[in-house]
Amino acid sequence: MQNFQGVGVSPGRVIGTIRQMPKPVSEPPSGEQLAASTTAEDAVAGLKAAAQSVHDELKARADKASGDGKAVLEATALMAKDTMLLKSATKLINNNGSSAERAIWEAGASVSEMLHNLGGYMAERATDVLDVRARIVAELRGVPAPGIPASDTPFILVAEDLAPADTATLDPAVVTALVTSGGGPQSHTAIIARSLGLPAVVAARGVDEIPDGAEVFVDGAAGSLSLEPSEEQRAAALAWVENAATLAAFDGNGTTADGHLVPLLANVGGAKDAAAAAALGAQGVGLFRTEFCFLERDTEPTVLEQAAAYRGVFDAFPGKKVVLRTLDAGADKPLPFLTDATEPNPALGVRGYRTDFTTPGVLDRQLEAIAIAADETEAEVWVMAPMISTAAEAAHFASMCDAAGIKKPGVMVEVPSAALTSASVLRHVGFASLGTNDLTQYAMAADRQLGPLAELNTPWQPAVLRLVQLTVAGSVEEGSGKPVGVCGEAAADPALAVVLVGLGVSTLSMTARSLAAVGTVLKTVTLEQAQELARLALSAPDALDAKAWVRAKLPILEELGL
Amino acid sequence: MPERTATIASRSGLHARPAAIFAEAAGESPVEVTIAMAGSAADDALDAASILSLMTLGAAKGDVVVLRAEGDGADTALDSLVTLLETDLDAE
């Protein structure tokens, strides 16, 4: 039985057959000519046949799809046999003697660029042309089409890493688990898996070599993949199916065994997420990522447009707390009207609250929109700024909120300097929320997206836990009991959630899918036990030991397969 | 050469779903149909069956376009394509 070890990022135990995600189609060499044995006529005929079969395959998928996905697939299918694309490729074959692969590659590039330059909706379709081009080249070469394999039967997807665009075609009814050879715990694969509730393992070296169709056992908590599953593993997969049912329901009451209340909140990006989170029992929203209302926009949305979008989230939680984070653009979330794409080091650049230095006004208008939306709803609206580094920034943000009529201003603590000076920072605002993803990246000086740094990039790092402890201590020192919550991915890990509660964190906010698992585990420990586990984790020499030591004291995790 | 003018009725203009529906219909007609913005030279007309051409044409709701075709069945084909353009396909 061969075993592959990676980093577990989303729990679950499943057995299934694997399908490898095909490698991206490589560019045919520039200047590649027709083979001597092929006439231009044959090459054109071959190209047309390949285009037709790509069309037929996409059309067949469109017929099975529904809604927006169907419309996109139908349009993409038509692009495959589009005369504009094929005529320009045919010209390159006839006039320049280009190979069919190179001809369609170049034709696709120029059409895509043309659409890109038109902007707006057309620019969004530019990538569809590139996708069609890659599919035609794959067909000409006789290799599998790029992207998530189409299949009627469920499978475990193995890939190098997933891109955000892959999520659109990822059907959780067909893909039963995700395993990647690259990526880290904060990579897109991990975030996608947690939001879909799919078991997932990242940074598992060597899994690329497993042949399609191999039967494997994946343990998303242990971070392992095993070939030729044993009887115990088969039993564990069956038990998970039952556990998954109990772990799907959260009773809406986050508490320790001895009744210390820790409200469990949800991270949401818009009204749809918020409604789903409310249905899963979330006690409020601990992180409303407002940039999702802004993404894919070339210009700033108007105050009224923004107010309507915020209102949609507030209305899902009448009488409950909704913590809204002001625009967090920059780094991996660029916005054309706000951020400078040419910065050499965007994670350390003008991002989050800092965009107010370079583009003043956008934040004022956002606060105005929030105040309008807050006035019209029953939700208790709190507002926090991302990427606050100093007490002076906190004070300035609080004055901006005050001017807009927002009652409860707060800050994200994700820059180590804010954690280290939290007493001074908290004097100016009403609360703090720890963003553990960025706090970890900055404390460890390790880019969140990089697979090779996955071991550094975990909130189990004792240094990160120490920063959490110092932030809470700062609130105690400040003296008026201002709450310190956590809204990073750390809160979704049931073992780490217990440690965070032991460190004195007052609320935990996470992807709604994780609420039940965290709630279930939290109910099995007293506050004193959680404090004991927090001390244990802080005393560990490294992240691996911290995690292992805490998990060993929480046998329920193993029982539930978490 | 038979030609018709039509005013784009779809809310999103002649891209997205309306473009796909129109390109497919143009591709199925027995004659080759071209499309151009009203007032532009006939030489600049694009293949109406090409979804990519339609998208680069960039016709918005309310814009007037000219359809042209030649040969047997050209008139019938043009009439049915005009009807399609003057229907709000986004509403379906």
Side-chain angles (χ1 to χ4, degrees):
Chain A
M1 185 184 71
Q2 202 184 346
N3 209 31
F4 294 85
Q5 187 61 45
V7 180
V9 292
S10 179
R13 292 166 172 166
V14 292
I15 288 193
T17 52
I18 72 135
R19 294 284 298 269
Q20 291 279 353
M21 177 109 151
K23 298 261 177 293
V25 171
S26 62
E27 177 177 350
S30 169
E32 185 181 77
Q33 296 286 301
L34 283 174
S37 55
T38 313
T39 65
E41 207 170 46
D42 288 346
V44 170
L47 176 60
K48 285 200 171 137
Q52 183 68 42
S53 82
V54 168
H55 166 269
D56 295 348
E57 143 83 13
L58 290 170
K59 189 77 175 50
R61 277 171 57 186
D63 291 344
K64 278 190 277 179
S66 60
D68 286 350
K70 186 186 182 74
V72 169
L73 280 168
E74 275 173 350
T76 317
L78 280 176
M79 286 177 194
K81 53 169 198 180
D82 192 275
T83 48
M84 186 182 192
L85 192 62
L86 292 179
K87 272 184 189 161
S88 116
T90 303
K91 216 183 262 177
L92 288 167
I93 295 173
N94 285 332
N95 299 357
N96 302 4
S98 287
S99 69
E101 290 86 345
R102 183 67 201 175
I104 191 72
W105 191 269
E106 285 181 18
S110 60
V111 171
S112 161
E113 195 186 335
M114 202 150 74
L115 291 177
H116 182 79
N117 291 341
L118 287 168
Y121 172 83
M122 258 72 78
E124 287 167 35
R125 298 278 79 79
T127 49
D128 297 348
V129 177
L130 297 181
D131 176 52
V132 161
R133 163 182 92 165
R135 286 173 180 279
I136 296 176
V137 172
E139 182 72 27
L140 285 166
R141 288 179 178 162
V143 300
I148 294 173
S151 169
D152 294 329
T153 51
F155 62 91
I156 292 168
L157 181 65
V158 178
E160 191 182 324
D161 197 7
L162 293 183
D166 295 319
T167 43
T169 53
L170 200 162
D171 178 358
V174 176
V175 176
T176 57
L178 296 173
V179 181
T180 63
S181 58
Q186 325 286 356
S187 64
H188 285 291
T189 304
I191 291 166
I192 292 163
R194 280 188 288 256
S195 72
L196 294 174
L198 284 179
V201 177
V202 300
R205 274 178 218 141
V207 294
D208 301 314
E209 308 301 324
I210 306 172
D212 269 356
E215 192 185 34
V216 302
F217 170 74
V218 172
D219 186 332
S224 62
L225 178 152
S226 318
L227 298 180
E228 296 164 33
S230 65
E231 285 313 310
E232 289 81 25
Q233 289 171 333
R234 287 181 197 281
L238 278 178
W240 170 255
V241 177
E242 277 173 36
N243 287 339
T246 38
L247 288 176
F250 171 53
D251 61 8
N253 181 29
T255 174
T256 60
D258 56 337
H260 171 68
L261 296 182
V262 184
L264 301 186
L265 315 171
N267 296 349
V268 305
K272 216 170 121 193
D273 280 3
L280 286 167
Q283 294 175 267
V285 169
L287 172 63
F288 170 18
R289 301 183 174 99
T290 57
E291 58 276 10
F292 284 85
C293 308
F294 289 76
L295 289 180
E296 294 180 8
R297 300 278 304 231
D298 297 328
T299 54
E300 182 188 344
T302 66
V303 167
L304 290 180
E305 269 180 90
Q306 291 186 46
Y310 304 153
R311 177 78 199 270
V313 171
F314 297 165
D315 284 351
F317 289 94
K320 295 192 175 149
K321 182 165 85 170
V322 174
V323 183
L324 187 146
R325 178 178 71 189
T326 58
L327 196 52
D328 187 18
D332 57 338
K333 289 167 292 200
L335 281 182
F337 56 91
L338 209 53
T339 54
D340 173 4
T342 63
E343 277 182 3
N345 208 343
L348 301 182
V350 178
R351 57 167 299 201
Y353 169 75
R354 301 167 176 186
T355 54
D356 189 56
F357 306 164
T358 49
T359 319
V362 176
L363 182 56
D364 289 299
R365 288 186 288 276
Q366 184 177 26
L367 293 173
E368 185 191 342
I370 294 166
I372 293 172
D375 267 350
E376 295 169 341
T377 137
E378 311 275 302
E380 188 192 330
V381 177
W382 295 17
V383 183
M384 61 186 180
M387 290 294 290
I388 291 289
S389 310
T390 65
E393 287 175 2
H396 185 240
F397 180 69
S399 70
M400 289 173 85
C401 285
D402 190 47
I406 288 164
K407 295 176 197 83
K408 191 88 166 182
V411 294
M412 290 278 291
V413 173
E414 49 197 339
V415 180
S417 63
L420 294 168
T421 60
S422 75
S424 333
V425 168
L426 275 167
R427 270 186 200 107
H428 302 286
V429 291
F431 69 99
S433 182
L434 288 146
T436 47
N437 304 0
D438 273 328
L439 187 61
T440 304
Q441 135 164 303
Y442 294 130
M444 304 310 295
D447 190 323
R448 281 162 67 170
Q449 310 289 346
L450 292 182
L453 304 182
E455 279 179 24
L456 285 176
N457 229 320
T458 153
W460 280 103
Q461 288 288 353
V464 177
L465 298 177
R466 183 78 63 184
L467 288 168
V468 173
Q469 183 191 36
L470 286 169
T471 308
V472 173
S475 167
V476 173
E477 185 191 331
E478 192 274 338
S480 42
K482 291 178 178 171
V484 176
V486 169
C487 65
E489 296 286 333
D493 172 342
L496 194 46
V498 169
V499 170
L500 293 169
V501 168
L503 288 171
V505 158
S506 56
T507 56
L508 298 170
S509 188
M510 64 202 78
T511 173
R513 294 257 184 192
S514 301
L515 290 165
V518 170
T520 304
V521 174
L522 196 57
K523 277 200 176 79
T524 66
V525 295
T526 62
L527 179 59
E528 205 184 309
Q529 284 166 333
Q531 287 164 342
E532 182 54 40
L533 289 173
R535 278 192 289 275
L536 188 64
L538 281 170
S539 71
D542 58 43
L544 285 176
D545 279 342
K547 186 174 181 178
W549 293 359
V550 170
R551 290 186 64 91
K553 299 260 182 187
L554 290 168
I556 183 162
L557 296 171
E558 184 55 29
E559 248 167 69
L560 292 175
L562 290 168
Chain B
M1 188 191 284
E3 62 173 64
R4 303 279 189 285
T5 57
T7 308
I8 307 291
S10 293
R11 265 166 268 169
S12 65
L14 198 50
H15 35 74
R17 211 165 145 256
I21 294 170
F22 179 76
E24 194 146 33
E28 282 164 7
S29 68
V31 287
E32 275 191 23
V33 183
T34 67
I35 185 167
M37 298 297 273
S40 67
D43 287 353
D44 291 342
L46 301 165
D47 180 356
S50 158
I51 185 169
L52 293 168
S53 299
L54 294 177
M55 285 164 64
T56 54
L57 187 69
K61 178 179 160 64
D63 282 350
V64 179
V65 296
V66 183
L67 300 180
R68 296 185 182 87
E70 202 153 22
D72 283 349
D75 285 297
T76 333
L78 289 177
D79 287 339
S80 67
L81 290 174
V82 165
T83 312
L84 207 50
L85 287 180
E86 299 199 327
T87 308
D88 183 358
L89 297 169
D90 286 320
E92 288 179 5

